[in-house]
Short mmCIF file of all heavy atoms in Angstrom, two decimals:
data_model
loop_
_atom_site.label_atom_id
_atom_site.label_comp_id
_atom_site.label_asym_id
_atom_site.label_seq_id
_atom_site.Cartn_x
_atom_site.Cartn_y
_atom_site.Cartn_z
N GLU C 355 1.80 23.16 -8.93
CA GLU C 355 0.92 22.31 -9.77
C GLU C 355 0.91 22.69 -11.20
O GLU C 355 0.87 21.85 -12.12
CB GLU C 355 -0.50 22.22 -9.15
CG GLU C 355 -0.46 21.50 -7.81
CD GLU C 355 -1.79 21.49 -7.05
OE1 GLU C 355 -2.85 21.56 -7.67
OE2 GLU C 355 -1.73 21.40 -5.81
N ALA C 356 1.04 24.01 -11.45
CA ALA C 356 1.16 24.49 -12.84
C ALA C 356 2.41 23.85 -13.50
O ALA C 356 2.43 23.44 -14.63
CB ALA C 356 1.24 26.00 -12.88
N MET C 357 3.48 23.78 -12.73
CA MET C 357 4.73 23.26 -13.18
C MET C 357 4.61 21.75 -13.48
O MET C 357 5.07 21.26 -14.54
CB MET C 357 5.81 23.46 -12.08
CG MET C 357 7.20 23.29 -12.58
SD MET C 357 8.27 24.18 -11.44
CE MET C 357 9.84 23.77 -12.07
N TYR C 358 3.98 21.01 -12.59
CA TYR C 358 3.76 19.57 -12.82
C TYR C 358 2.97 19.40 -14.13
O TYR C 358 3.32 18.54 -14.93
CB TYR C 358 2.96 18.93 -11.68
CG TYR C 358 3.66 18.86 -10.36
CD1 TYR C 358 2.97 18.74 -9.15
CD2 TYR C 358 5.05 18.85 -10.28
CE1 TYR C 358 3.60 18.61 -7.93
CE2 TYR C 358 5.72 18.77 -9.03
CZ TYR C 358 4.98 18.63 -7.89
OH TYR C 358 5.61 18.52 -6.63
N ASN C 359 1.95 20.17 -14.28
CA ASN C 359 1.07 20.01 -15.44
C ASN C 359 1.82 20.37 -16.71
O ASN C 359 1.73 19.64 -17.72
CB ASN C 359 -0.18 20.86 -15.32
CG ASN C 359 -1.11 20.28 -14.26
OD1 ASN C 359 -1.19 19.04 -14.11
ND2 ASN C 359 -1.82 21.12 -13.51
N LYS C 360 2.58 21.48 -16.65
CA LYS C 360 3.32 21.92 -17.84
C LYS C 360 4.29 20.87 -18.35
O LYS C 360 4.43 20.63 -19.56
CB LYS C 360 4.05 23.24 -17.52
CG LYS C 360 4.82 23.75 -18.73
CD LYS C 360 5.42 25.11 -18.49
CE LYS C 360 6.33 25.46 -19.65
NZ LYS C 360 7.30 26.47 -19.34
N HIS C 361 4.93 20.18 -17.40
CA HIS C 361 5.96 19.23 -17.80
C HIS C 361 5.51 17.76 -17.74
O HIS C 361 6.30 16.84 -17.80
CB HIS C 361 7.20 19.40 -16.88
CG HIS C 361 7.85 20.74 -17.02
ND1 HIS C 361 8.65 21.12 -18.07
CD2 HIS C 361 7.76 21.85 -16.21
CE1 HIS C 361 9.02 22.38 -17.92
NE2 HIS C 361 8.52 22.85 -16.80
N ASN C 362 4.19 17.60 -17.60
CA ASN C 362 3.65 16.24 -17.55
C ASN C 362 4.31 15.38 -16.49
O ASN C 362 4.64 14.20 -16.77
CB ASN C 362 3.81 15.55 -18.91
CG ASN C 362 2.71 16.03 -19.86
OD1 ASN C 362 1.58 16.15 -19.46
ND2 ASN C 362 3.12 16.30 -21.11
N ILE C 363 4.49 15.94 -15.34
CA ILE C 363 5.11 15.17 -14.23
C ILE C 363 3.98 14.55 -13.41
O ILE C 363 3.09 15.26 -12.96
CB ILE C 363 5.99 16.09 -13.35
CG1 ILE C 363 7.12 16.62 -14.18
CG2 ILE C 363 6.46 15.36 -12.11
CD1 ILE C 363 7.87 17.78 -13.52
N PRO C 364 4.00 13.20 -13.25
CA PRO C 364 2.98 12.61 -12.44
C PRO C 364 3.05 13.11 -11.00
O PRO C 364 4.15 13.28 -10.48
CB PRO C 364 3.27 11.08 -12.51
CG PRO C 364 4.73 11.02 -12.83
CD PRO C 364 5.02 12.24 -13.68
N TYR C 365 1.89 13.34 -10.38
CA TYR C 365 1.95 13.80 -9.00
C TYR C 365 0.77 13.36 -8.17
O TYR C 365 -0.21 12.85 -8.72
CB TYR C 365 2.16 15.33 -8.94
CG TYR C 365 0.98 16.16 -9.33
CD1 TYR C 365 0.14 16.69 -8.38
CD2 TYR C 365 0.73 16.45 -10.69
CE1 TYR C 365 -0.98 17.53 -8.77
CE2 TYR C 365 -0.35 17.25 -11.03
CZ TYR C 365 -1.20 17.77 -10.09
OH TYR C 365 -2.27 18.56 -10.46
N LEU C 366 0.89 13.63 -6.86
CA LEU C 366 -0.07 13.05 -5.94
C LEU C 366 -0.34 14.14 -4.84
O LEU C 366 0.56 14.79 -4.43
CB LEU C 366 0.65 11.88 -5.27
CG LEU C 366 -0.12 10.90 -4.41
CD1 LEU C 366 -1.24 10.25 -5.24
CD2 LEU C 366 0.81 9.83 -3.86
N ASP C 367 -1.62 14.19 -4.44
CA ASP C 367 -1.93 15.09 -3.32
C ASP C 367 -1.79 14.28 -2.03
O ASP C 367 -2.50 13.33 -1.78
CB ASP C 367 -3.40 15.58 -3.46
CG ASP C 367 -3.73 16.58 -2.33
OD1 ASP C 367 -3.05 16.56 -1.28
OD2 ASP C 367 -4.68 17.37 -2.52
N ALA C 368 -0.83 14.67 -1.22
CA ALA C 368 -0.44 13.90 -0.06
C ALA C 368 -1.24 14.26 1.22
O ALA C 368 -1.08 13.68 2.24
CB ALA C 368 1.05 14.00 0.20
N THR C 369 -2.13 15.23 1.06
CA THR C 369 -2.78 15.81 2.26
C THR C 369 -3.42 14.75 3.19
O THR C 369 -3.20 14.76 4.36
CB THR C 369 -3.90 16.81 1.85
OG1 THR C 369 -3.33 17.70 0.92
CG2 THR C 369 -4.40 17.57 3.08
N GLU C 370 -4.22 13.85 2.60
CA GLU C 370 -4.95 12.94 3.44
C GLU C 370 -4.23 11.60 3.58
O GLU C 370 -4.82 10.60 4.00
CB GLU C 370 -6.36 12.68 2.84
CG GLU C 370 -7.20 13.95 2.80
CD GLU C 370 -7.68 14.36 4.16
OE1 GLU C 370 -7.83 13.48 5.08
OE2 GLU C 370 -7.89 15.58 4.36
N LEU C 371 -3.02 11.50 3.13
CA LEU C 371 -2.35 10.22 3.04
C LEU C 371 -1.26 10.07 4.07
O LEU C 371 -0.57 11.04 4.43
CB LEU C 371 -1.75 10.01 1.64
CG LEU C 371 -2.71 10.15 0.45
CD1 LEU C 371 -1.94 9.98 -0.87
CD2 LEU C 371 -3.82 9.10 0.55
#
Side-chain angles (χ1 to χ4, degrees):
Chain C
E355 290 174 29
M357 196 157 174
Y358 292 158
N359 289 325
K360 181 173 171 201
H361 298 284
N362 282 317
I363 295 166
Y365 71 98
L366 190 63
D367 184 339
T369 311
E370 297 289 331
L371 304 178

